[in-house]
Amino acid sequence: MGQHAMSLIRKSDAALMALIVITLIATVILAFADPDFFTLVFAAEDGPVEYATAVFLLVASGVLASHALSLWRGGRRGAALLTCVYALMFFMAAGEEVSWGQRIIGWESGEFFQQHNKQNETNLHNLIVADVHLTKSLFGPVLTICILLYLVGLPLLYPKGGRIAALADRMAVPVPWLKHAAIALVASIIIALLDVDRKWEVYELIFSLLVVSIFLLPQNPSKTR
């Protein structure tokens, strides 16, 4: 990678870090100064936070897709295919965030989603299957634990080497830095302490910004692109 490209990546990473700080500051100010505005506008469904989350999840998918192409050209076919899977996951997450543009375009859900989706929309995370709400049982606590293990646990364990580091490299998993772990912890504490509806929408935005930063500049760039 050339110096110009690396310089651009570093500037992009700095901008992402600044945007995270601005988002957290705005979140705290609005949550205390105007909770109604926070809930009904800032973090509302189809509001700026939700759309920004979808955009940065899509950017994350694009970064991973470019890495997959680079890995494929370099002859690392297994790592490229795995990275394609990661890219697809984030593409789906971006689509899920805005119900695949359903509310934007205005098309109706099929019969299955009208019967089994909490919001009668075409997405998986609001499905109710056998009286089990997937957001509360799977996409909520389970996914949060996995995210925190990735953002906080992996950057602590990776520098020590061993099986976990080797597995992460073999699977082309972009490893976060300690700065990402610190931001994730601070954001978790701040948002958990706020007493305002829809505060976790901001948490999703912070995560989307963090993963773009991680995918651009992981601890193991030579293993992931």
Side-chain angles (χ1 to χ4, degrees):
M1 182 177 293
Q3 288 186 343
H4 177 71
M6 181 54 67
S7 174
L8 182 60
I9 288 175
R10 293 190 182 281
K11 288 179 180 178
S12 298
D13 182 64
L16 289 165
M17 295 297 102
L19 189 53
I20 288 173
V21 173
I22 292 170
T23 300
L24 286 173
I25 292 173
T27 295
V28 173
I29 292 174
L30 290 175
F32 282 100
D34 196 341
D36 288 338
F37 181 85
F38 179 94
T39 302
L40 300 175
V41 179
F42 183 67
E45 192 167 56
D46 295 331
V49 168
E50 185 173 81
Y51 281 136
T53 300
V55 168
F56 283 105
L57 288 173
L58 191 60
V59 171
S61 176
V63 172
L64 288 170
S66 70
H67 291 344
L69 182 60
S70 177
L71 290 167
W72 186 270
R73 289 173 174 171
R76 298 173 59 193
R77 303 297 171 83
L81 291 175
L82 278 173
T83 304
C84 281
V85 173
Y86 306 151
L88 180 60
M89 290 170 57
F90 279 89
F91 178 80
M92 292 185 65
E96 283 282 304
E97 185 67 18
V98 291
S99 296
W100 300 97
Q102 180 174 0
R103 295 186 301 275
I104 300 171
I105 301 172
W107 50 274
E108 293 186 3
S109 300
E111 183 178 348
F112 174 82
F113 287 101
Q114 289 185 15
Q115 292 180 355
H116 298 283
N117 189 281
K118 181 183 178 183
Q119 296 180 335
N120 298 322
E121 294 177 345
T122 307
N123 59 54
L124 299 177
H125 66 279
N126 281 319
L127 281 181
I128 298 177
V129 180
D131 295 326
V132 176
H133 190 185
L134 294 187
T135 296
K136 294 181 179 180
S137 61
L138 177 60
F139 293 106
V142 175
L143 187 58
T144 299
I145 291 172
C146 292
I147 288 172
L148 288 176
L149 286 174
Y150 171 69
L151 290 175
V152 179
L154 190 55
L156 292 172
L157 295 173
Y158 183 82
K160 298 179 180 180
R163 293 181 179 178
I164 292 178
L167 182 62
D169 287 342
R170 188 160 59 249
M171 296 184 68
V173 175
V175 178
W177 292 92
L178 287 178
K179 70 176 183 180
H180 299 116
I183 291 171
L185 285 174
V186 170
S188 298
I189 293 170
I190 290 174
I191 293 172
L193 291 175
L194 295 178
D195 185 19
V196 64
D197 290 337
R198 297 187 64 82
K199 62 184 181 180
W200 295 109
E201 298 296 325
V202 176
Y203 195 72
E204 293 176 6
L205 174 55
I206 298 300
F207 170 74
S208 70
L209 292 165
L210 279 175
V211 292
V212 175
S213 170
I214 294 165
F215 298 163
L216 286 174
L217 283 175
Q219 284 197 50
N220 54 344
S222 64
K223 305 297 183 180
T224 57
R225 58 171 173 253

